[in-house]
Amino acid sequence: MRFVRLSTLCLLLVLCVPQAEAEYADVVLNRTAEAAGVRPVIYPHWFHRMRFRCKVCHSELGFVMRAGANKIDMAGIMEGKFCGMCHNGEIAWNVEHCDRCHSGLPGLKSGIRGGDSAGGPGYW
Amino acid sequence: MNSADDNLYRNSPRAWSLLGRVWVLGLLLLLSGAQVLAGEANPWVRLEADGLHDPKGGAIRDLQQPGEALAPLPRDVVGNMVRWVEALRTGVITPRTNILPDTKIQVLDLDIIYPNTGNYNFVRFPHKAHTEWLDCSNCHDAIFAKKYRGTTISMANILEGRQCGQCHGAVSFPLTECNRCHSVDSQNFAGKFGPQPVAK
């Protein structure tokens, strides 16, 4: 009996060790995606900041630094706004590759993610 | 094993419990050891296992894995496990400063030392590391007034995700790293507060 109890406790401990976690500063965008019948968008900060400084998107392009504050839509992107400033087939691949951005699991809530010890500030 | 011992192990609940404890402890050690080893070699979770990406989606086939992209960069112990400022300065990465041809690129090399940090180290804010990544307008005057002490900064605000916490704790190094900002020993401080040239 004690063995069973101990085993359960240990199993729980192992399960409690953080498992799958998003990369620090990944952003989930699901304001309209799933309602429109596509997967939520996962935006990886780490990938983009290797290639562009923050100021490109947050100054030139004008993205507000708060997940959910930018009313991004596909029509705008195709006109060269938002992600479409680069994802136009010239600077980066074009919008025909839907799945590359619309890559999230169903039901994800919009917001900034990443399993850091700080857990992310409340205001986000 | 004689028959008395045999009997002991077969029938004694205490012996069973002891065996069980040893077995489980060993298993636990093995598992945690494997996790530590795996974490040290490559701390980045693969996209298909990160709890965000749908493993059934087409993205997994096409997208770059964080572990492949970030491993060659200067290693940190938090956030993306990358020392981003160092990565930029050493030229390991050369991210673009602008897309539009007429954008003015400004880098300011000016430190500010802030007093009134309770009984903890004073804060040194380096404009250089920030302006290498950001535009002046990202902070001024949206978050901070340009004038020294024109804005009251507090850890309460920062921990809520305002002021410095707009980025630190979300995308740049997190708020667990107190001493990276609180880097000036307040007990032996003989300098002056406020904006000042960078100490060489």
Side-chain angles (χ1 to χ4, degrees):
Chain A
M1 193 56 207
R2 197 182 282 177
F3 171 74
V4 175
R5 229 182 290 162
L6 207 69
S7 303
T8 314
L9 186 75
C10 290
L11 190 68
L12 276 174
L13 272 172
V14 171
L15 289 176
C16 284
V17 173
Q19 302 283 322
E21 276 178 348
E23 192 50 46
Y24 189 60
D26 277 354
V27 180
V28 175
L29 303 166
N30 198 10
R31 191 174 57 88
T32 58
E34 261 191 299
V38 284
R39 290 188 179 89
V41 170
I42 312 296
Y43 170 84
H45 264 107
W46 64 266
F47 180 93
H48 289 84
R49 70 182 296 185
M50 288 180 72
R51 292 150 177 91
F52 300 92
R53 301 182 199 224
C54 320
K55 56 178 100 179
V56 172
C57 296
H58 291 297
S59 173
E60 287 191 302
L61 188 49
F63 274 133
V64 178
M65 291 176 176
R66 186 157 308 128
N70 301 285
K71 306 287 177 237
I72 305 167
D73 62 67
M74 281 312 301
I77 292 173
M78 286 185 238
E79 288 168 16
K81 295 180 195 159
F82 314 118
C83 323
M85 184 166 165
C86 291
H87 284 283
N88 52 14
E90 291 171 25
I91 296 172
W93 35 265
N94 65 25
V95 294
E96 284 163 26
H97 303 280
C98 315
D99 281 355
R100 292 184 186 171
C101 302
H102 291 278
S103 58
L105 287 160
L108 290 176
K109 286 202 176 73
S110 296
I112 192 146
R113 305 296 175 88
D116 205 87
S117 33
Y123 196 46
W124 284 91
Chain B
M1 197 178 276
N2 62 38
S3 65
D5 282 345
D6 199 29
N7 209 29
L8 177 83
Y9 279 95
R10 195 173 293 155
N11 297 326
S12 159
R14 185 178 289 175
W16 270 117
S17 157
L18 198 72
L19 252 177
R21 245 182 254 187
V22 169
W23 183 83
V24 168
L25 202 71
L27 187 73
L28 195 70
L29 274 171
L30 200 74
L31 277 169
S32 57
Q35 271 180 343
V36 167
L37 279 176
E40 270 180 10
N42 194 321
W44 298 280
V45 176
R46 289 185 66 82
L47 297 179
E48 60 271 29
D50 68 0
L52 287 189
H53 289 89
D54 190 341
K56 288 177 287 198
I60 303 300
R61 187 189 60 236
D62 291 352
L63 298 180
Q64 189 178 26
Q65 293 284 349
E68 287 163 26
L70 302 177
L73 275 51
R75 185 71 61 93
D76 203 344
V77 293
V78 285
N80 296 121
M81 303 293 180
V82 171
R83 291 191 166 269
W84 286 104
V85 171
E86 191 185 329
L88 187 67
R89 287 192 182 158
T90 52
V92 186
I93 52 168
T94 50
R96 288 179 68 159
T97 55
N98 58 304
I99 298 291
L100 309 171
D102 298 330
T103 301
K104 195 177 168 198
I105 306 301
Q106 297 185 85
V107 174
L108 179 65
D109 199 3
L110 179 76
D111 281 0
I112 302 175
I113 297 180
Y114 289 97
N116 303 334
T117 50
N119 55 8
Y120 202 51
N121 289 346
F122 298 135
V123 170
R124 177 190 293 275
F125 171 84
H127 267 101
K128 192 175 177 204
H130 290 83
T131 50
E132 281 169 346
W133 287 100
L134 290 155
D135 189 74
C136 311
S137 63
N138 288 129
C139 300
H140 301 304
D141 296 323
I143 307 176
F144 301 110
K146 275 204 186 87
K147 190 172 172 286
Y148 171 56
R149 304 193 78 175
T151 302
T152 305
I153 303 168
S154 77
M155 279 311 300
N157 282 336
I158 295 169
L159 285 159
E160 269 192 345
R162 299 169 204 269
Q163 300 182 330
C164 319
Q166 184 116 1
C167 296
H168 289 284
V171 59
S172 35
F173 69 74
L175 304 174
T176 47
E177 308 311 295
C178 317
N179 290 341
R180 293 194 194 174
C181 302
H182 288 271
S183 60
V184 180
D185 181 3
S186 55
Q187 302 300 313
N188 303 302
F189 183 67
K192 69 174 183 87
F193 296 117
Q196 53 198 276
V198 179
K200 297 293 178 197

